[in-house]
Each structure stands twice: as C-alpha cells, then as structure tokens.
Amino acid sequence: MSVQEYLDKHMLSRKIEDAVNAAVRAKTPDPVLFISNHMRKAVSSVIRKIKARQILDSRGIPTVEVDLYTNKGMFRASVPSGDPSGMYEAVELRDGDKGMYLGNSVMKAVKNINDRISEALIGMDPTLQSQIDQAMIDLDKTEKKGELGANAILAVSIAACKAGAAEKEVPLYKHIADLAGRTNLTLPVPAFSVISGGKHAGNNLAIQEIMILPVGASKFEEALQMGAETYHHLKEVISERHGSHGCNVGEDGGFAPNISSFTEGLNLVKEAISRTGYNDKIKIALDVAATEFCIGTKYDLDPKSPNKSGQNFKSGDDMIDMYKELCSDYPIESIEDPFDKEDWEHTKYFSSLDICQVVGDDLLVSNPKRVERAIQESTCNALVLKLNQIGTVTEAIDVVKLAKDARWGVVTSHRCGETVDSFIADLAVGLATGQIKAGAPCRGERMAKYNQLLRIEEELGDQAVYAGEDWKLS
C-alpha cells in the first residue's frame, strides 16, 4: 500500500487539512503542538499487528487465540469449540494430522491469521466491526468459512471488537450495543447446568443437561447466589442417594450421577431447589440434544446400553406425550432440541402447544437461512446463539436481530470446549438476549462468564436491569 493509498483509506489528508484550518482559526501561538493534539483526537487508532497461536480449551483440545494490537494496546481473544452439528454451521478448521493432538491441532487456522488475515486487516479502524468482518469473509470466499476457518475468523473478529470498545473508551457491552443499534442493556437470566448427560457425561442419561433458571431473582448477583446454593444442595442430595462418586461432573460442570431417566434427574433437582427454599423463584430447563439419540425416526432413551431390546425406543409422538407430562409435573420452562435436527414437523407441533419455550440449537446452528425458515414455518420460538457456528460478531448481531424481530427468545451460549475468554457475557448484555448458558456455577472457564456479568452489573449500578421474569423477551 502506497503512502497516498494509506492516507486515502483513513481520510487522513482531509483530517490534516481540518487540523491546519482549526489552528489558523484559533490563532494559536504554537500551531505545531495544536495540530498534533488535534490530529491525535481526530485520527483513530488502527490495527497495527495481529498474532495468533494455538492454545488448549477446557477439554485439552487445541483452539485458536489471537492478540490484536492498536495504539491503545493489545487485545486478546480465544474461541470456544464444540462438537460440530453438521453441514449447516461454519467450518472449524483443524489440521487432521493424527500425530498431532489426534488430528485436532489448529496450526492451519493459526497460519491463516498470521499470514493472510493479518495482511488484509493491518491499518483498518477497529471500530468498524462490520467492515473488518466483511474483509475476512471476502478473503475466505466460501459459504461456511472453510478456507480460512471460522475459528480463525472469529478469534480475530472478537479481538477487533474488544479493540473497538477500547478505541471508543466505552465498556465492551456498550460497544456491542452500539454496533447492534440497541439502547437497552439487560443482564441475562443464567441457565446453570446442574446435571449432565448425553455426550457430555459418562452416565446413562440420554439428555445432555438439566438446567436451573433463577427467574425470580431481583438482580444477577442474587441469581448467581441462588444458582450456586442450589448446585451445592444438589451435591448433597446426589451424595445421599448415589454416593460421593455420583458427584463427578461432566464437561460443562454439571453433576453426572449414574441415572438413566429424565424423572430421576428432575427429582434430584426438584429436591435440591426445595432445600434452598427458593421454590417458585427457580424454574427448570432441559437441553435434550435429541439428535444424539435419534435412530431413523425413533428416539433411543437408553442410548448407551449395549443391549438394544427396543423397549425404550420412542416415536416423535411418544416424545411429545412425554414432554407434556414432564412439563405438567415439573416447573419446566424451556426445552432445547426436543427432536432431531431434521425433525421439523414434530418440533413445530410441539412448539404450537405453547407449553414452554422451544429452543433450536442443532436445528438452527445459528444459521440465518435455517432461522428464517424456522420463523416462516413457526417451528420453534427461541434461538441458541453460538458464535463459532456463525463465525463473526457482525453475523451474530444480525441473526439475533432476526430472532428478536420475530419475537423469539435468544440464548447466548458457551460450548463444551471453552476458554477463560468472557466475551459472551458482554455480548449477552449488549444484545439484551435475556438468557445465557455458560455451564455450571463451577469450573474456571464457566465462572469467567458469570463473574464478568457480576462486574457489569456493578458497573451499571442503578442502571442495571436483570431480565428476571421477562427473560424470554427482554
């Protein structure tokens, strides 16, 4: 890039001219100092350097971390990783060399950042998030970011977002709200994972997790206390009924007692809530992740048993009857992925019953085309937002707007492979999603998000609003 091209790109020639004219009008005795100070205020920092590396996530699996430098300092971001849900989500680029981290290393993605992405973004204004994200999308040229890797693009996108907030000298959540054109800032209701199953634990429970929602809290600080206290009471309940070995935890920090039925898990949680005394202030949510135990058109509720008799196989209609019964017997307010990711019809019918919030995760994978279809067909009424399924901050903002315009709920979500980066906490507040899933109230990579929400609430002071009873549509 030539000097003139650089000046043109950042409109510096015009800003220099404005500074000189201002000095003349001010009749300053030291025009050089005046112009220097004027330019310092007028010229924003630019991206000076981008450096990526491979680190390990909470499962000991490689992921991408980025340091992005401007005149304001260094801004670090690391991306989570999950179990890919199929062809509709952005590509998590891995090396595939079985001799390196069993094929899971991400050195290709790291190289793509250090070479190609870095070259494309050096000199750009970090406050121009959409332009930065679009530059990476254009550089990739594939529909699902398979050339550079969504893990590479997202790490840079998040780091740039942090740098943009610093450049504007505003909190990260405020910068995100500005990018989205929002004025309301809302502390989300946390969906604490308390019992883990499915692929996230070694027990016989088919569903992925049972969560608690402290919707009756008056502020986030109280919600966190309610969640933590319930979690510890649950530990006592499980220890009493299943022994201390039942208190081992799954990938998200939820307990993994050796149970096999929905009702066993729900009874444990119900007892724990009862012991806290919070009762109606805490509701229950399920992440069924039904795709994981769907076989053809049937759902195997005993998926880890080696001997398949077929006695525990359910049809889609049977699953609906089971959910209706569970929702009448327990304070279940939300069910995520109640059916297979391609079972649109049963999901739509169940959603039409208006029994609870019906959340699409594997069904939607934060993909705008899938979300648009679900909105048009009234398939579900809430979105799980997972940043690495879509790949940039700008696209995440757009898909949340799509969901909110349809009067859907939005659940900002972590992944099973997490880092200590707390970005999704600020994202949930800035986009006023009203709900956040970040795992159990334990483990450092999960608590990083919850503790950041505490800090945000403290910083907002009297202006802090907790979603509470309005969590579905904050």
Side-chain angles (χ1 to χ4, degrees):
M1 182 184 296
S2 69
V3 172
Q4 188 58 51
E5 286 174 331
Y6 183 87
L7 290 172
D8 291 343
K9 180 176 182 180
H10 302 287
M11 297 184 293
L12 294 183
S13 297
R14 177 63 181 275
K15 291 174 181 176
I16 293 170
E17 182 181 344
D18 290 343
V20 172
N21 290 334
V24 171
R25 289 193 301 272
K27 298 179 181 179
T28 174
D30 191 346
V32 174
L33 179 61
F34 183 94
I35 291 170
S36 176
N37 290 336
H38 191 95
M39 286 295 297
R40 188 176 296 113
K41 294 177 181 178
V43 179
S44 60
S45 294
V46 297
I47 297 172
R48 297 170 47 231
K49 177 183 174 182
I50 301 175
K51 171 66 177 175
R53 65 183 62 85
Q54 175 175 277
I55 63 169
L56 299 186
D57 68 18
S58 59
R59 302 172 299 174
I61 295 175
T63 190
V64 179
E65 181 177 81
V66 164
D67 294 343
L68 184 147
Y69 295 80
T70 72
N71 293 336
K72 291 282 189 179
M74 184 271 284
F75 304 92
R76 177 170 291 162
S78 52
V79 295
S81 57
D83 298 318
S85 300
M87 68 182 78
Y88 303 110
E89 65 179 277
V91 174
E92 187 176 71
L93 186 63
R94 295 195 180 274
D95 300 342
D97 179 358
K98 296 298 182 181
M100 291 284 290
Y101 288 103
L102 309 178
N104 289 315
S105 58
V106 291
M107 295 310 296
K108 290 179 182 177
V110 168
K111 188 175 189 305
N112 285 338
I113 295 172
N114 290 336
D115 295 346
R116 300 174 62 189
I117 293 176
S118 176
E119 181 181 356
L121 300 188
I122 295 300
M124 292 190 72
D125 182 342
T127 65
L128 303 178
Q129 186 73 41
S130 62
Q131 292 184 24
I132 290 169
D133 290 341
Q134 191 60 52
M136 291 189 285
I137 291 169
D138 292 344
L139 186 64
D140 181 273
K141 294 185 178 68
T142 66
E143 183 180 359
K144 297 186 294 180
K145 303 175 178 66
E147 175 69 22
L148 299 175
N151 43 351
I153 292 173
L154 179 60
V156 177
S157 182
I158 293 174
C161 192
K162 294 178 180 181
E167 179 60 29
K168 290 164 57 178
E169 298 182 348
V170 298
L172 179 56
Y173 57 84
K174 178 64 168 61
H175 176 51
I176 292 170
D178 289 345
L179 293 173
R182 301 195 64 87
T183 55
N184 62 316
L185 301 170
T186 306
L187 276 297
V189 169
F192 295 113
S193 178
V194 291
I195 289 187
S196 294
K199 293 179 68 175
H200 289 187
N203 56 14
N204 293 319
L205 185 63
I207 65 172
Q208 190 157 283
E209 56 186 327
I210 300 175
M211 297 166 282
I212 54 172
L213 306 167
V215 298
S218 60
K219 56 182 182 178
F220 181 81
E221 182 181 17
E222 183 184 358
L224 184 58
Q225 178 183 337
M226 292 167 71
E229 289 177 0
T230 305
Y231 183 80
H232 288 290
H233 277 292
L234 179 59
K235 184 176 182 180
E236 292 178 358
V237 174
I238 292 172
S239 183
E240 290 168 8
R241 300 184 183 181
H242 297 275
S244 58
H245 63 278
C247 297
N248 293 332
V249 300
E251 289 181 343
D252 299 338
F255 296 115
N258 191 24
I259 56 177
S260 57
S261 74
F262 290 46
T263 54
E264 282 182 278
L266 288 166
N267 285 335
L268 292 172
V269 173
K270 189 176 180 180
E271 173 62 22
I273 294 172
S274 176
R275 291 189 185 188
T276 66
Y278 293 125
N279 300 321
D280 292 343
K281 291 185 175 182
I282 297 180
K283 303 301 182 182
I284 294 176
L286 304 179
D287 180 0
V288 179
T291 297
E292 300 299 336
F293 55 87
C294 181
I295 302 174
T297 60
K298 298 287 186 179
Y299 294 89
D300 179 9
L301 298 189
D302 194 15
K304 299 177 185 179
S305 173
N307 302 314
K308 301 294 181 186
S309 64
Q311 292 182 344
N312 219 7
F313 278 39
K314 302 281 188 182
S315 67
D317 291 342
D318 293 336
M319 295 290 282
I320 287 175
D321 290 339
M322 180 185 69
Y323 293 138
K324 289 166 65 176
E325 184 175 348
L326 289 174
C327 288
S328 67
D329 292 343
Y330 301 92
I332 296 172
E333 291 284 329
S334 179
I335 300 181
E336 181 180 330
D337 280 344
F339 303 96
D340 179 68
K341 63 185 178 184
E342 300 298 348
D343 193 348
W344 291 72
E345 289 307 311
H346 281 105
T347 306
K348 178 179 180 178
Y349 177 70
F350 181 57
S351 183
S352 72
L353 299 177
D354 200 25
I355 295 173
C356 65
Q357 177 179 253
V358 180
V359 191
D361 179 11
D362 293 343
L363 178 79
L364 304 174
V365 291
S366 302
N367 183 312
K369 293 180 181 178
R370 304 274 287 186
V371 174
E372 286 174 352
R373 176 185 170 186
I375 290 171
Q376 291 169 2
E377 298 181 11
S378 301
T379 308
C380 53
N381 52 39
L383 162 75
V384 168
L385 176 67
K386 292 179 175 176
L387 282 173
N388 71 323
Q389 288 183 334
I390 191 164
T392 67
V393 172
T394 299
E395 290 168 295
I397 291 171
D398 290 345
V399 79
V400 168
K401 184 179 187 304
L402 195 64
K404 281 183 167 288
D405 286 348
R407 304 291 293 168
W408 277 20
V410 179
V411 187
T412 303
S413 179
H414 66 160
R415 300 306 308 266
C416 55
E418 264 298 336
T419 74
V420 294
D421 194 317
S422 61
F423 181 77
I424 64 168
D426 287 82
L427 187 74
V429 174
L431 298 184
T433 61
Q435 304 171 61
I436 188 170
K437 281 178 62 176
C442 79
R443 296 180 54 130
E445 75 281 357
R446 315 294 159 180
M447 290 310 305
K449 285 70 170 170
Y450 297 133
N451 287 336
Q452 175 64 3
L453 289 167
L454 281 179
R455 299 182 196 104
I456 293 172
E457 185 171 62
E458 179 185 83
E459 187 172 275
L460 288 171
D462 293 341
Q463 302 301 311
V465 176
Y466 175 63
E469 299 289 352
D470 297 324
W471 57 281
K472 292 181 185 178
L473 289 172
S474 64

